[in-house]
Every structure is written in C-alpha cells, then in structure tokens.
Amino acid sequence: MAAILNKLRIKDDEHGRPTDRWTNPDILPVLPENRTFTKKSYFGFWVAAAISATYWTIGSASIAAGLSAGQAIGAIIVGAAVSGLVCWGCGEFGIQYGLGFPMMSRAAFGMYGSYFVVILKCFSNFVYSGIQSYWGGIAIRVMLSAIFPSFHNMRNTLPESANITTKDFIGTIIYFVFFVALLFVKPYKLQSFFLVSFVGVTLTMLGMFIWALAANKGAGNLVAPPVAISAAETTFQFFQAICSLAATYTGVAIRHSDWSRYTKTPAAARLGACVASPLFVAIAAIVGILVTSASKDLYGIIIWNPMSLLAHIQVVDYSATTRAGTFFAGLGWFLSQLAVNVSSNAVATGMDLASILPQWINARRGSLILAVIAISSTPWNLVNSPGTFITVIGSLGLFISPLIGIYLADYFTVRRKIYKVPDLYIGDKSSIYWFQWGFHWRGFLTWLSLIWMSLPGFAAKIGGFEIHVAWIRIFRVSYLIGLCGGFIIYNLICWLSPVPGVGIMEPYEFHRETDGGSEKDSVIREEKEVSRSSSNV
C-alpha cells in the first residue's frame, strides 16, 4: 500500500521542484522558460474564449425583459468594458509573481480560508464544464449529420425523460474524448491550439453572420422591444444587462492570473485582457443578437444557441450546399467549445484542486477530476430541464463578485503589489498569511457584509415567492454591488485594522544548481521592508 501511495504522490522529475502539504510544481511560480505566451498567443486565447455559445446567447434575457436589440447591444458593450478592466486587475498578480488564483486567495483569505474560495469556484466550473461539453456534443452531431445522411436520419432510441437524443448523446461522448485528450497538454503549450481555434470560430461567426443577413435581407427589427416597459424600468434593465454579462464573465476574469502567469512580457497579457477580451466578448454577443434576429424572421422561431440553429437549418434544408456549410460551421463551434472549456474550466479547476491537496493532485489530475464530474452530472438534464439547481448556478455571481473587489483591494491598495511569496507555502503561524488559525477574518467579514443584501432576492427567485421589488432589484444588480462594495469595505476594514506583514517583499525565485547533474529549487531571500504610509492601506 505504501508503495502505491508513493507512486501516486506528485513529483517533479523534470525540474526537481518541491512537493509537500502546501506546495507542488503547478502552484509554484511559473519557471522563466515556461513563460511563453506572446501578444499573438493571448489574442488567440481571448478570441477562442470569448466567441463561444455562452456570450453568443447573452443578449436573450435582456431582450426578453423588454430592451430593444439596440439597447441590449449598448449594455453589452459597457458590460464587456467592465469585464475587461476586472480581467486586467486580476491578472496583474500573475504577471508580477508568476502565480495563479489559488495563491492570490491564500493571501486574501488565509491558508485554510482559501479552500472556501476555490471550492466555491470549482463547484460552478464542474457544472459549466458539463454544459460546455453538451454544447460541444451538439456541434459534433451537426458535423456527423452533414457527413452521413444515415446519421442525420437516425431514429432517436432514448425516452423523452432522458432529456437528450441519441444523436446528441453520441456527439457529447465524442466531444468528451477530444476534451480529455487535450487535458494532457501542458497549459503553456496550448497557444497554438488557441490560435487554430481562433481562426476556426472567427470564420464560422463571420460566415453565419453573412448568411443570416443575406438570406433575410437584413437583421430584422432592432429598435422595437418585444414588450412595453416604462423609461425607469428600461434604465434598470439596462444596468441589469451590464451586470448579466459581467457576472457571466466573472469566472474567467477573476482568475486571469492563472493564464497571465505564462506571459512572456507584461504588455502581452495586459493587451489581451484590456483589448482582445472585452472586444471579442462584445462582438460575439452582438453578432449573436443580429443572427438570431434575422433567423427569427426566416424560420418564425427564436433559436439562441448557434449549434442548435445549425441543426435546425439541416432539418429545414439538407442540400449539398447546406451540408457543407453546416459542417464547417459545426467544426468552428466544436473548436470554440474545446478552447473555452479548457481555458475557463479545466486549467483553472486543476490548479484549484492542486492547491487543496498538492501532494496528490497536480493541475492535470485536477482537470481530469473536473472532466469526470462534469460528464457524470448529465449536463443535458441541466440545460433541457432547468429548475432550482441551474437557477442557483446562474446566480453564483452574487457570491463571487465581492471576491473580485477584495482581490483588487488586497493587491493594489492594501499590499500595494508587495508580497512575501515563500510564506504562501508555509502552513503555520510563521507565515504572514496564516492570520488567525489559517483564516483571514477581514476578507470573510467583507464578503459576509455584502452577500446578505442579495439573499432575500436570491431566495425569492429560488422559492418562487413574492417579495418587495427593491430586494429583487438589489439581487439583479448584485454584481456591481459586490464588486464596488468589496473594494471599498475591504479597504476600510484594513485601514481600521492593519493587515500584519504588509510591506515585506520576499521573492521566490528558481535557479539551477549542478549537484551530480540534478536540479534543485532554491529560495532567493531578498527581504526588505518597503516604506509604507502609517495607515498601512
């Protein structure tokens, strides 16, 4: 048994980096030779992550609530800009220190307190990864239907209660095989794949856009809203639409340090976060609105999911031209679903789980755990039979948005970008990030002081009961409340009760020492007290 456990223990045979209760190679600072992402790499990464079914469909709720398509587009542009700023702020930690989201969580919430944060994020990633896999499966189904008429005409053998057809089930399993295979590639070696995905999905989106507007001779009515609402309600719905997009993007933005840590130059990651990220999120959402508006005029029904639209087109017209067009479009969305699932879910969750059990889980094993849980959750039930559970998942932004404000305040104003990095790997009182019993009460007090305001509206949405409209509105704009409130309240608490150890810089650096041909990890201790204002804020 001991021999088996020893084999399962994480080891770094390539560089000899240490592994213990709080440390393994995947959560240590990225080695200089592995910081390979360039401006082109991040451009491809963000395009592949942004042009996905998630953001393509983001305008549906806003339009259904009473905004015109034009108003929804305006809200999307503002929301994308907010998301880009958050992405930039959360990525600076990775640029400067080569560290990811779990280590940022240890600094803000304590060594044990970080577990709460990463488990909260992992929970949502498990579900979203399953949903992305199901949507990727529909893309595979479209491709197979385009190639094989027998597959296109295949009879469904599954009962209606299964919430999935035989063809979609086959497509999902095939997608899952490709997804798992991709998890064996190290993150810093994925830039070529992201670039390929970028080309594929960009051409797909452009092709669907041209086809829809040409076939319909325009995008349809973008001015008249579907339901009449007051001017005051329109203003509120506009801000809610901003929050909806920003909250949907929260999972990617808050953990941008997981990817910015691989940057070759600081400018490469910053340009990707501030320009490519918001630009292509907005483009994907806007094109989704325009294509859906045009296809509604063509077919008389609203189909927001682009893969489902392709499948519907095949049912209406199965000509050789349609089959060729839908095949290549399905291929583009298949690549997109792979890219967004790896970038937004797999790598991030892998490092999160590695930070909890670093002796036994590395980023790859964590990603594989995610994949197993994601497919085991039968995501087609979540998509096709939405109920209380998926409502809870969709509302996780209210729990996560305060974390963004806390992280930004902790990095920029409380610590002023100064960290004692080796202490992030020490699990006792000698670490300045141990705080009280491994928990940072300032971070948790800030978080608790904000989420209570949104809980009445959250409970009403889950329970389906009536409550005063003010609570509902607070819940719907909880993203902005959490983001701004987290930043302000955390700064205030840390001003009233200064954080211990602030102002001490101690880098964790790697260099090679020849000792019988082996490589060793070394801590270069260069501790210095940095001049700080008396407020310690």
Side-chain angles (χ1 to χ4, degrees), residues 35-48:
R35 297 190 180 193
T36 58
F37 272 49
T38 62
K39 293 177 183 178
K40 184 170 66 174
S41 303
Y42 280 107
F43 189 86
F45 169 85
W46 283 116
V47 173

Side-chain angles (χ1 to χ4, degrees), residues 456-521:
F458 175 69
K461 184 174 181 180
I462 299 301
F465 56 84
E466 295 294 325
I467 196 172
H468 193 279
V469 66
W471 292 113
I472 298 297
R473 291 189 171 183
I474 289 173
F475 167 68
R476 288 178 176 174
V477 296
S478 58
Y479 179 87
L480 290 178
I481 293 174
L483 173 62
C484 299
F487 187 87
I488 295 169
I489 294 175
Y490 186 78
N491 269 312
L492 178 61
I493 292 175
C494 293
W495 177 71
L496 295 172
S497 175
V499 177
V502 167
I504 301 176
M505 175 174 282
E506 188 173 341
Y508 191 109
E509 298 181 2
F510 181 80
H511 72 94
R512 305 186 189 283
E513 293 181 354
T514 303
D515 182 10
S518 65
E519 295 178 332
K520 294 182 179 179
D521 200 37

